[in-house]
Amino acid sequence: MSATIYDVAREAGVSMATVSRVVNGNPNVKPTTRKKVSEAIKRLGYRPNAVARGLASKKTTTVGVIIPDISSVYFSELARGIEDIATMYKYNIILCNSDQNKDKEIHLIQTLLGKQVDGIVFMGGKIDPEHIEEFKQSNVPFVLASTVDEQHEIPSVNIDYEQAVFEVISKLIESGNQHVGFINGPVDVPINGKYKLNGYKAALKSHHIPFEETLVTEGDYTYESGKEATSQFLSQEIKPTAIFVDSDEMAIGAIHEIQDEGLKVPEDIEVVSSENTRLVQMVRPTLTSIAEPTYDIGAVAMRLLTKLMNNEKVESITVVLPHRIDERKSTK
Amino acid sequence: MSATIYDVAREAGVSMATVSRVVNGNPNVKPTTRKKVSEAIKRLGYRPNAVARGLASKKTTTVGVIIPDISSVYFSELARGIEDIATMYKYNIILCNSDQNKDKEIHLIQTLLGKQVDGIVFMGGKIDPEHIEEFKQSNVPFVLASTVDEQHEIPSVNIDYEQAVFEVISKLIESGNQHVGFINGPVDVPINGKYKLNGYKAALKSHHIPFEETLVTEGDYTYESGKEATSQFLSQEIKPTAIFVDSDEMAIGAIHEIQDEGLKVPEDIEVVSSENTRLVQMVRPTLTSIAEPTYDIGAVAMRLLTKLMNNEKVESITVVLPHRIDERKSTK
DNA sequence: CTGAAAGCGCTAACAT
DNA sequence: ATGTTAGCGCTTTCAG
């Protein structure tokens, strides 16, 4: 067995309260006794038991992170942002994959709360009343990262997806494209089905271009689905001369499908993507993309959570990070 | 405050011991009392406090995962394998990025042990005596994933890197390449500097080809470093006609550099990669690669850890998973 | 089948 | 500046 605070106290000839004080850096300890205790600690190889500490103090310095899929490039960059800031503030993270499945999500929240995490960063698709209920019932703060709560009740960190898509589509139209295709992500998640789609429609409208049902489709973020959607576009009567794709992986699929059909990007068809992961550099032509600050979304979300856990004042519960559009070789 | 086991006991008119039994599925409870307790639990919205349970039982059902960088495609796939199996066995994981920095690694181990994790999956570069010391001092099991301990003292899950590289290089030689380049990962990690390099040299030797210093170089796994290393190769007197690259991202860099120089893959230069992540499908030509079962390494490592935590018998402490070579369009 | 009671290792008043 | 003393919420003998 490893040494306990009691062993250290005995070894150093002081009470456990004093040991606790030096372990926790409490200044009310005479330097000489501090030294005595420190030596006893070293001699015994004492390491504080965080579980006991958590039970007594009701703080675990651990936060829960619920993420759809850590093996996705996009989410793993987000996760890295979260973890870096967590580390900076001395928190550890319990990482859970939800696969965007609501039952799993609810179950994970329960498990994490049972483990007494001090807060939770949640990434998911659709937030519905059942989620909100869980968030509110719990007595620890939640922050949504890259996930929107349409009611703006829950703290969240995002970019303005609608605006970003509006800009991209407008640019494409203004540079002469009358038929702009849109390969969206699953539309049951509001970011896609609502905000991004709205941005797309708004851009068309403001340029007096009629909305064409067949130019909008849905993929599942895989390379293959991007390829298939593009294949469908190319076989239609109304073919797009530019395609906006909701993920880098799908966008690479789109480019390859276009090239496989003997067409050129961007000469024949322009392609714009939406995540700006490292992948954009790894395809020829390199991908123009909405530059979503993925890492930063995670980092800012975690930072916001630390404030909430600390009962610090926060200016705004809903933070919207700026985005850019990084132009590369897949557009003219 | 949320309800405690004591509240439930009172509500149900039983002792806390009985509540504990029903919560833990102990069969020694009369069905009627079980029912009474279950109802009280539901009524009060009772949720067991895992921290208290952990303190009393000395088990946290949480394992630590130390990983170089979760945002890397390779490691995030490994992590997903770990997490899936952990979930299957009712464990949660505390995920920590080490950046392959030894001081951080040691510090993380300390932190995780302080949090009383039941076991640790460790991924890193070089395992040296200081690590081994930590592993042995602790009283919880460790498993190395995709990380070799040259002494075979610590349980680990890997593929046979030396053999895999031997096969790849042999194939390349046998199909007519006299000059095979090798862009390795950082050689201070034994998997690269020792095993993979040995495999490379052994293949040359068995085909009576002299080792050529300038055909072996080192990258840092980034796209850019793959491109640079290749550029260097192409400017040399002795140019490779085939290149084996230690990561998909670097391999894509290599392909692009070759193409940017007006050469063709595989006609002028063949390229083989080594991770077989999803990236291999996302480049043209698609990448021939050593198929390392990344997800499985994580999954098997976690499974091994569960056995160790459970004091189950394990056939072998050192598991070597099979690998394949998946041929695609970047080789003839 | 159920209850009583003693901790698990630590923090946090409250004393001194 | 240091010690005493309750718990924190649960598991786990040990009785009965």
Side-chain angles (χ1 to χ4, degrees), chain B residues 246-259:
Chain B
D246 193 41
S247 85
D248 291 338
E249 205 164 320
M250 290 197 293
I252 294 178
I255 288 180
H256 286 164
E257 180 63 25
I258 293 168
Q259 293 170 338

Side-chain angles (χ1 to χ4, degrees), chain A residues 85-293:
Chain A
I85 304 304
T87 299
M88 185 175 301
Y89 287 90
K90 313 280 186 209
Y91 286 93
N92 287 110
I93 67 174
I94 296 184
L95 195 287
C96 310
N97 293 105
S98 69
D99 291 316
Q100 204 114 216
N101 174 119
K102 183 172 145 196
D103 292 339
K104 269 195 210 172
E105 287 169 346
I106 301 291
H107 179 250
L108 288 172
I109 292 173
Q110 304 281 4
T111 303
L112 290 171
L113 293 177
K115 293 218 171 176
Q116 313 301 118
V117 294
D118 295 336
I120 293 180
V121 177
F122 185 95
M123 284 153 281
K126 189 165 177 42
I127 298 296
D128 58 30
E130 204 170 333
H131 290 102
I132 305 270
E133 185 65 12
E134 292 292 335
F135 297 159
K136 290 189 168 166
Q137 295 278 294
S138 83
N139 36 25
V140 303
F142 275 74
V143 171
L144 305 177
S146 192
T147 302
V148 327
D149 155 32
E150 306 181 52
Q151 317 307 319
H152 298 294
E153 293 181 277
I154 312 297
S156 68
V157 180
N158 288 288
I159 63 169
D160 185 337
Y161 296 102
E162 180 165 341
Q163 175 63 22
V165 173
F166 179 87
E167 289 166 18
V168 162
I169 304 298
S170 293
K171 246 183 195 172
L172 254 13
I173 294 173
E174 286 158 18
S175 68
N177 293 287
Q178 285 290 311
H179 299 311
V180 180
F182 178 17
I183 303 176
N184 204 347
V187 295
D188 55 323
V189 348
I191 286 184
N192 303 326
K194 184 171 172 186
Y195 299 103
K196 290 185 176 174
L197 187 57
N198 281 353
Y200 175 83
K201 287 180 175 170
L204 293 186
K205 190 161 190 181
S206 89
H207 292 81
H208 313 295
I209 293 183
F211 176 75
E212 178 59 56
E213 196 86 47
T214 61
L215 286 177
V216 176
T217 183
E218 181 181 348
D220 63 4
Y221 292 132
T222 61
Y223 173 85
E224 269 312 322
S225 76
K227 216 162 174 301
E228 277 165 30
T230 305
S231 164
Q232 169 62 29
F233 279 162
L234 298 182
S235 71
Q236 288 173 183
E237 199 173 344
I238 303 182
K239 298 179 181 50
T241 56
I243 305 178
F244 168 61
V245 190
D246 193 41
S247 86
D248 292 338
E249 206 164 320
M250 289 197 294
I252 294 177
I255 288 179
H256 286 164
E257 179 63 25
I258 293 167
Q259 293 170 338
D260 288 352
E261 289 299 313
L263 300 172
K264 281 189 176 303
V265 178
E267 293 79 353
D268 299 312
I269 301 183
E270 300 184 67
V271 175
V272 178
S273 171
S274 172
E275 295 176 314
N276 210 47
T277 59
R278 292 197 308 270
L279 293 177
V280 297
Q281 308 278 4
M282 295 189 214
V283 61
R284 291 309 162 86
T286 55
L287 261 173
T288 292
S289 177
I290 294 177
E292 182 172 342

